[in-house]
Amino acid sequence: MDTVDLLLHPVRLRVVHAMSGGRALTTAQLCELLPDVSKATVYRHVGLLAEGGLLEVDGEQRVRGAVERRYRLRRERAVIDAETAASTSREDHRRVFAVAMATLLAEFNAYLDRDDADPAADLVGYRQHAIWLSPEERAEMIGELRDVIVSRMRNEPSPDRTRHLLSPILFPAESPS
């Protein structure tokens, strides 16, 4: 299975999100982070991600007679490159977007299902804004956003940091006049 196919599943994409920041997690720990997904499903998808080279074994230990593996995300493998994205058909774009939205909805529902969920205190945002941009302004804005986001993506987990999901979506809402 290639990287695109591996990433085009809501559970596998959620596992990739959970593994971000250089974390090394066991499948049992991933099950705790994805309480709305059955353990068998998490184990199956972790196996597929490992077989596909997106996860690597970071260590092993014996737990009650079984071998428990810690996995780490191979970040360089968990990316769809610009060439692949450019050659994607419209139908494939529909499929990718649907998976991204299903994943986002599942993550948001899992957040709201937590006892400590407080959207106001957590500054949860999901606004949409209509903005008018020339091609040059659009490219400049994307570059600025990319710089800000990439700089934060280098943050590693720590006791004072909480993992957040940020899902920027940009597309022309109408044809150019």
Side-chain angles (χ1 to χ4, degrees):
M1 201 178 303
D2 70 7
T3 300
V4 174
D5 288 332
L6 282 168
L7 293 174
L8 283 182
H9 190 283
V11 172
R12 290 192 293 268
L13 196 50
R14 290 181 68 194
V15 168
V16 168
H17 290 162
M19 299 294 296
S20 68
R23 287 171 133 178
L25 300 171
T26 65
T27 308
Q29 290 170 315
L30 284 166
C31 288
E32 290 174 19
L33 292 171
L34 305 173
D36 56 313
V37 181
S38 76
K39 288 181 181 183
T41 298
V42 172
Y43 275 83
R44 181 173 63 249
H45 289 293
V46 165
L48 289 170
L49 289 166
E51 286 172 26
L54 272 72
L55 297 180
E56 63 185 356
V57 176
D58 186 64
E60 296 180 344
Q61 65 184 18
R62 283 220 170 269
V63 177
R64 293 182 219 97
V67 174
E68 183 178 60
R69 291 184 178 92
R70 273 187 326 281
Y71 293 94
R72 183 174 303 280
L73 179 66
R74 294 184 59 201
R75 188 165 177 72
E76 75 282 358
R77 293 281 324 238
V79 192
I80 298 173
D81 62 43
E83 183 180 327
T84 301
S87 66
T88 301
S89 71
R90 287 182 183 189
E91 282 310 308
D92 284 342
H93 275 286
R94 279 181 179 63
R95 194 170 132 233
V96 170
F97 190 78
V99 168
M101 292 303 98
T103 303
L104 187 59
L105 186 58
E107 292 278 12
F108 191 67
N109 283 331
Y111 161 73
L112 289 176
D113 288 343
R114 292 186 350 223
D115 290 338
D116 66 341
D118 186 344
D122 293 334
L123 301 177
V124 170
Y126 39 82
R127 294 179 185 94
Q128 292 181 340
H129 304 279
I131 54 178
W132 296 82
L133 302 167
S134 69
E136 295 80 18
E137 291 167 329
R138 181 184 61 213
E140 180 182 16
M141 184 186 77
I142 289 170
E144 292 167 352
L145 290 170
R146 182 176 291 130
D147 290 345
V148 169
I149 294 167
V150 168
S151 72
R152 298 311 187 280
M153 287 173 64
R154 292 186 191 108
N155 290 352
E156 293 186 7
S158 71
D160 63 324
R161 288 187 174 136
T162 302
R163 182 173 58 97
H164 290 75
L165 291 181
L166 177 65
S167 300
I169 299 167
L170 174 71
F171 59 91
E174 53 190 61
S175 296
S177 52

